[in-house]
Amino acid sequence: MSGGRRTTQRIDRILAHLGHGSRNDIKIMVKQGCIKVNGIIVKDRGLHVDPYNDTIELNGERIEYKEFIYLMLHKPPGVVSATEDKREATVLDLIDPTHAVFELFPVGRLDKDTEGLLLLTNDGKLAHSLLSPRRHVPKTYEAFVDGDVGLDDVKQFVAGVTLDDGYKTLPGELVVLSQEHGDRVISKISLTIHEGKFHQVKRMFEAVGKKVIYLKRVQMGQLHLDPTLEIGTYRELTPEELSLLVKES
Ligand code: URA
């Protein structure tokens, strides 16, 4: 994403942005001669540097600059999709300080009890366009539903269902993956929706008289939840994954 950019910033600001300490810590590092730019020891923490084109070293290690960061989190239940909350643990509590320094926020919301794919970034522009109601970026969920989900529901979801507030949903693609027949029928389903109303999946099933008992997001646009990503953990998006999202936005 750096191709051809030429802007300069203070070296202490750059290193603080990348999580290498406070501006004051960096002042000390400069005094100790720990920082080099293009092979020359930095004497002035206010030195202007082009972070994309100059070579920055901290204690002999090359520092790679990035303005934005994109994380795929496998959200566990029990945490809220917010940057801060007075009572509840948030998704940011799952992020270690080296990444949290980027002032991340979640792209959209999953309910506290919902699991699965949640993108965290500091790229407001990308987040905004992925969430824009005009773009209809698809989101796919898997769920267990209490009840016998059948062809009627599939047809109703394609036609759009009316939620409790009178809103008629856009067509959603519902697939019944399997069913367990015990005392009650439990259906495992996949549902792709093209909008993101509050509690939308749960409310769509309520509209057809059924209850979601477990919900997991597995896809957003072309981005799939990495099946090897343990619940509660995260990783940076690969360049290929990021380009899928950028195309979508
Ligand atoms: N729909 C819901 O009902 N809950 C979520 O967390 C996401 C979509």
Side-chain angles (χ1 to χ4, degrees):
M1 302 202 80
S2 60
R5 280 190 220 182
R6 278 211 169 268
T7 46
T8 64
Q9 290 178 49
R10 289 171 61 113
I11 186 72
D12 58 354
R13 193 160 188 271
I14 293 170
L15 290 170
H17 169 74
L18 294 174
H20 294 289
S22 65
R23 302 272 276 268
N24 213 32
D25 297 331
I26 291 152
K27 182 175 160 188
I28 296 165
M29 291 183 216
V30 167
K31 274 201 181 138
Q32 293 172 338
C34 303
I35 302 163
K36 282 186 186 170
V37 171
N38 299 331
I40 296 166
I41 292 179
V42 174
K43 299 253 165 54
D44 170 10
R45 68 192 168 111
L47 178 74
H48 271 247
V49 171
D50 176 345
Y52 290 107
N53 295 295
D54 291 323
T55 303
I56 304 171
E57 285 168 87
L58 178 58
N59 294 320
E61 276 202 31
R62 175 113 190 233
I63 302 293
E64 211 184 317
Y65 184 76
K66 50 188 163 195
E67 186 176 2
F68 297 123
I69 185 165
Y70 307 88
L71 303 179
M72 174 192 291
L73 171 70
H74 187 163
K75 180 190 173 296
V79 293
V80 296
S81 303
T83 51
E84 51 185 29
D85 193 284
K86 287 209 176 80
R87 281 176 296 273
E88 313 273 7
T90 75
V91 286
L92 284 188
D93 294 326
L94 302 168
I95 306 301
D96 45 69
T98 52
H99 291 117
V101 73
F102 283 92
E103 296 179 357
L104 297 159
F105 52 85
V107 179
R109 277 167 187 271
L110 291 178
D111 296 339
K112 184 176 167 190
D113 60 352
T114 301
E115 302 178 8
L117 174 63
L118 188 66
L119 182 67
L120 300 171
T121 186
N122 57 347
D123 183 344
K125 217 168 149 195
L126 182 76
H128 186 260
S129 75
L130 287 172
L131 294 174
S132 161
R134 272 176 285 122
R135 298 203 193 243
H136 304 304
V137 172
K139 286 161 283 261
T140 301
Y141 295 85
E142 286 180 2
F144 287 110
V145 177
D146 186 351
D148 185 1
V149 180
L151 195 56
D152 269 358
D153 302 307
V154 172
K155 286 183 183 157
Q156 288 198 69
F157 278 24
V158 169
V161 293
T162 303
L163 303 182
D164 45 12
D165 58 1
Y167 174 77
K168 184 158 184 250
T169 61
L170 293 174
E173 294 100 60
L174 174 62
V175 179
V176 182
L177 301 172
S178 61
Q179 285 190 320
E180 274 174 37
H181 295 261
D183 290 347
R184 312 179 60 87
V185 180
I186 304 293
S187 307
K188 183 177 183 193
I189 64 92
S190 158
L191 174 63
T192 301
I193 56 176
H194 301 263
E195 54 197 335
K197 301 284 171 213
F198 188 57
H199 297 323
Q200 181 157 345
V201 175
K202 292 172 185 165
R203 289 162 72 213
M204 285 176 79
F205 278 99
E206 272 162 26
V208 294
K210 297 183 175 80
K211 188 169 167 50
V212 170
I213 50 179
Y214 166 85
L215 185 60
K216 176 177 183 177
R217 181 155 68 194
V218 293
Q219 196 174 338
M220 183 171 184
Q222 295 306 306
L223 181 68
H224 292 258
L225 175 66
D226 177 346
T228 68
L229 195 61
E230 297 277 337
I231 191 158
T233 67
Y234 70 91
R235 65 162 170 78
E236 282 192 52
L237 292 191
T238 63
E240 292 74 26
E241 287 170 333
L242 178 58
S243 68
L244 290 175
L245 279 186
V246 170
K247 268 189 224 150
E248 200 88 40
S249 68

